[in-house]
Amino acid sequence: MKRIILIASLFTSFITSASAQVQTTIKGVVKNNRMTKVTLFETSGGLLKPLTTVTPDSNGKYSIIFTPPKAGFYSLGDLRANFVIYAKGGEEINIDLLSNKAVLNRKNTPENKTLYQWENAADSIRCISSMAFGGGKTYKDFFPEFEKVLAKVPTIKQSIHSGNNTFDELLKKKIDYDLDYYAIGIIMTPRIEHPKRENWLAYYDTIISDKKFTSCEVLQFPAGMAMVNMYANFAGIVKAERLGIDALNNDTLQAEAALFALKISRSRDVYENNLERFAKYLKTPEQKEEAQSIAAKFPASLNGKPAIDFTYPDKNGKDVSLSDFKGKVVLIDVWATWCNPCRQEMPALKKLEQELHGKDVVFLGVSIDRDADKEKWLNFVNQEGLQGIQLHASGGEQLSKDYSISGIPRFILIDKQGNIAAENAPRPSSSTLKELIEKELAK
């Protein structure tokens, strides 16, 4: 009897010990005033999937204990600033989170020590390339740093010996993907100055290649899906032999890129247009079924329906309603002073207003800046010399609800009868917007 109890006790002890071994403990200090909570993200299909969130104590210390669903790359931080780690279960990771980087300290795993040989070396180019950290820096700051990092890459790759061969090979590939991602980022994100094509580094000629994106390994990285989309868009910029999604050299990646485009559609009509463009990449029943399930999250298209009226004060305090302009074509520009993409469209919008001056079209700017920022909005309108009719919507909650606005800038075209001609019209930087307006004017 004692023997049976002893065996049962040993068995229970073994199970308990084995269970404990699969848990990972992550500890550190947050040294970033903007990060009030720390979220642990799993990498799922090249995207961040939140697993758990903790609140640091009064000294900034945090601790997370979790069981990794699988060995791989995870991220710590928040959606604005998050930093990669590698976890497989049964380890302790000590890492401090700063404003624009993470620092390993005390006890750590061989994989994370090896990973951060690269992350530390790439910190400068990652920060400059990122819109969150790059500030006003341009290619003039990035190119010299990039060449310094590029020169170190062969040595860094040679020093990758964590004892985990699977991890080591994946890290070498991550380095290559990261380099392309950061290099493309500085070219494709909004900056106060961009280089002319002839001033690009020679490295840019090596980015598009039939040997890249041949498998789904990129989706194991936290920024994997962003890397896929960045590469596809860059192929269009350099006018590669195969453009956009066609530049990807793997059917599954092409389908994932198509599905991602459907997921980020900003309205039902944009979803339907994207589905028409990308349906050819969805080849399996599962992919087609997923595309249809995405459609369910979009409300029915507003196109052809009467526009929902609104009334907001203009820059002189006078109330102006959308219905005041029935009989004219109206282009509504929903924007805010804090929105960089909105500001980037303003030169093209001013040009469009000049080209259509004297025609029966009204340009109606509607700011969703908060009430507290009304003075800031008014100063911006005057300083930038914004034309058309400028209204302040005090946050625009009802407007956003009525027109299913989930992101700005948002352009909405209203026809002469007061119906919605395009609930998600092209941006002024696209030549198709002028064509669409002229088509409505001709009716």
Side-chain angles (χ1 to χ4, degrees):
M1 183 68 174
K2 289 182 179 178
R3 185 178 178 187
I4 293 173
I5 293 172
L6 178 61
I7 292 172
S9 177
L10 289 172
F11 181 76
T12 303
S13 176
F14 172 77
I15 293 297
T16 302
S17 174
S19 297
Q21 286 299 308
V22 299
Q23 288 187 323
T24 291
T25 298
I26 309 169
K27 297 188 295 184
V29 179
V30 177
K31 301 177 181 179
N32 178 351
N33 293 333
R34 296 186 59 175
M35 192 179 293
T36 57
K37 296 182 182 297
V38 177
T39 297
L40 174 67
F41 299 92
E42 178 186 6
T43 300
S44 177
L47 298 170
L48 298 180
K49 177 184 177 182
L51 285 181
T52 187
T53 298
V54 299
T55 301
D57 67 17
S58 58
N59 296 314
K61 293 182 179 180
Y62 74 93
S63 177
I64 295 174
I65 299 175
F66 82 113
T67 302
K70 60 187 175 184
F73 293 105
Y74 295 77
S75 292
L76 280 171
D78 55 29
L79 288 175
R80 179 183 180 276
N82 53 80
F83 309 99
V84 65
I85 58 171
Y86 185 88
K88 58 184 179 181
E91 71 258 272
E92 181 177 313
I93 302 169
N94 289 279
I95 183 167
D96 294 340
L97 308 180
L98 283 57
S99 59
N100 60 2
K101 65 186 293 186
V103 179
L104 299 182
N105 62 65
R106 301 182 299 279
K107 183 178 180 180
N108 260 292
T109 65
E111 288 92 347
N112 283 296
K113 289 179 181 177
T114 307
L115 170 62
Y116 270 80
Q117 290 178 18
W118 165 242
E119 295 300 315
N120 291 338
D123 265 340
S124 60
I125 59 173
R126 176 182 57 81
C127 287
I128 298 173
S129 177
S130 165
M131 280 304 295
F133 304 129
K137 293 188 176 181
T138 70
Y139 74 97
K140 293 178 180 177
D141 305 287
F142 180 83
F143 283 178
E145 285 297 318
F146 187 82
E147 290 186 304
K148 290 177 188 176
V149 173
L150 198 59
K152 297 176 185 176
V153 167
T155 302
I156 292 172
K157 284 187 175 181
Q158 289 171 8
S159 68
I160 296 177
H161 300 291
S162 72
N164 180 339
N165 291 336
T166 300
F167 166 80
D168 289 350
E169 291 306 310
L170 194 56
L171 178 56
K172 291 175 185 177
K173 292 174 180 177
K174 182 180 185 298
I175 290 173
D176 292 334
Y177 280 112
D178 281 349
L179 287 169
D180 283 358
Y181 183 54
Y182 299 147
I184 297 173
I186 199 70
I187 298 294
M188 291 190 58
T189 53
R191 306 282 162 168
I192 58 174
E193 185 179 8
H194 280 99
K196 294 181 179 178
R197 181 65 181 89
E198 59 266 26
N199 295 329
W200 289 8
L201 298 176
Y203 180 87
Y204 284 91
D205 295 328
T206 71
I207 291 179
I208 301 298
S209 169
D210 289 342
K211 297 179 180 180
K212 296 181 180 180
F213 294 92
T214 57
S215 75
C216 293
E217 64 192 7
V218 66
L219 300 182
Q220 297 179 60
F221 308 133
M225 204 64 234
M227 292 171 171
V228 169
N229 289 314
M230 197 82 87
Y231 181 86
N233 289 331
F234 184 73
I237 286 178
V238 298
K239 296 181 173 57
E241 184 176 342
R242 289 180 290 118
L243 307 178
I245 291 179
D246 287 326
L248 303 170
N249 299 295
N250 177 275
D251 286 349
T252 303
L253 273 187
Q254 289 183 342
E256 288 298 321
L259 289 169
F260 184 77
L262 296 178
K263 290 174 184 175
I264 63 171
S265 299
R266 297 171 72 177
S267 64
R268 183 59 177 256
D269 63 320
V270 173
Y271 166 85
E272 291 172 353
N273 288 336
N274 282 338
L275 183 60
E276 186 176 346
R277 289 173 58 199
F278 301 131
K280 64 180 180 181
Y281 301 108
L282 308 176
K283 299 175 181 178
T284 70
E286 294 77 15
Q287 291 164 355
K288 294 175 182 177
E289 184 178 340
E290 185 174 354
Q292 291 305 315
S293 69
I294 293 170
K297 78 172 189 175
F298 296 107
S301 174
L302 296 175
N303 288 348
K305 297 180 179 179
I308 302 170
D309 199 16
F310 54 76
T311 302
Y312 299 116
D314 66 11
K315 61 182 181 180
N316 298 313
K318 177 186 175 183
D319 281 347
V320 176
S321 300
L322 172 61
S323 55
D324 294 342
F325 307 105
K326 194 168 184 179
K328 297 178 182 289
V329 174
V330 181
L331 179 68
I332 304 170
D333 170 17
V334 184
W335 67 285
T337 58
W338 45 260
C339 169
N340 284 330
C342 298
R343 294 201 296 266
Q344 289 156 24
E345 290 297 324
M346 287 178 180
L349 181 58
K350 289 179 181 178
K351 181 182 178 185
L352 181 62
E353 289 171 345
Q354 292 171 356
E355 291 172 347
L356 295 176
H357 180 70
K359 297 195 175 181
D360 227 8
V361 57
V362 175
F363 292 88
L364 189 60
V366 182
S367 165
I368 60 170
D369 281 286
R370 300 174 304 167
D371 253 341
D373 295 325
K374 192 169 184 178
E375 193 66 27
K376 179 181 177 183
W377 162 76
L378 187 57
N379 290 337
F380 186 92
V381 168
N382 291 328
Q383 290 169 7
E384 296 296 322
L386 299 189
Q387 303 300 307
I389 297 169
Q390 299 295 328
L391 308 182
H392 187 268
S394 298
E397 287 82 1
Q398 189 61 48
L399 178 71
S400 297
K401 181 180 178 181
D402 289 343
Y403 286 89
S404 300
I405 297 172
S406 58
I408 55 174
R410 175 74 172 270
F411 293 89
I412 305 167
L413 190 64
I414 310 299
D415 68 18
K416 295 176 182 177
Q417 287 72 45
N419 298 319
I420 299 172
E423 66 172 318
N424 206 318
R427 296 183 180 185
S429 54
S430 167
S431 61
T432 55
L433 177 57
K434 183 180 179 182
E435 294 170 3
L436 191 60
I437 293 173
E438 288 178 330
K439 180 180 177 181
E440 290 300 325
L441 287 170
K443 290 182 179 179

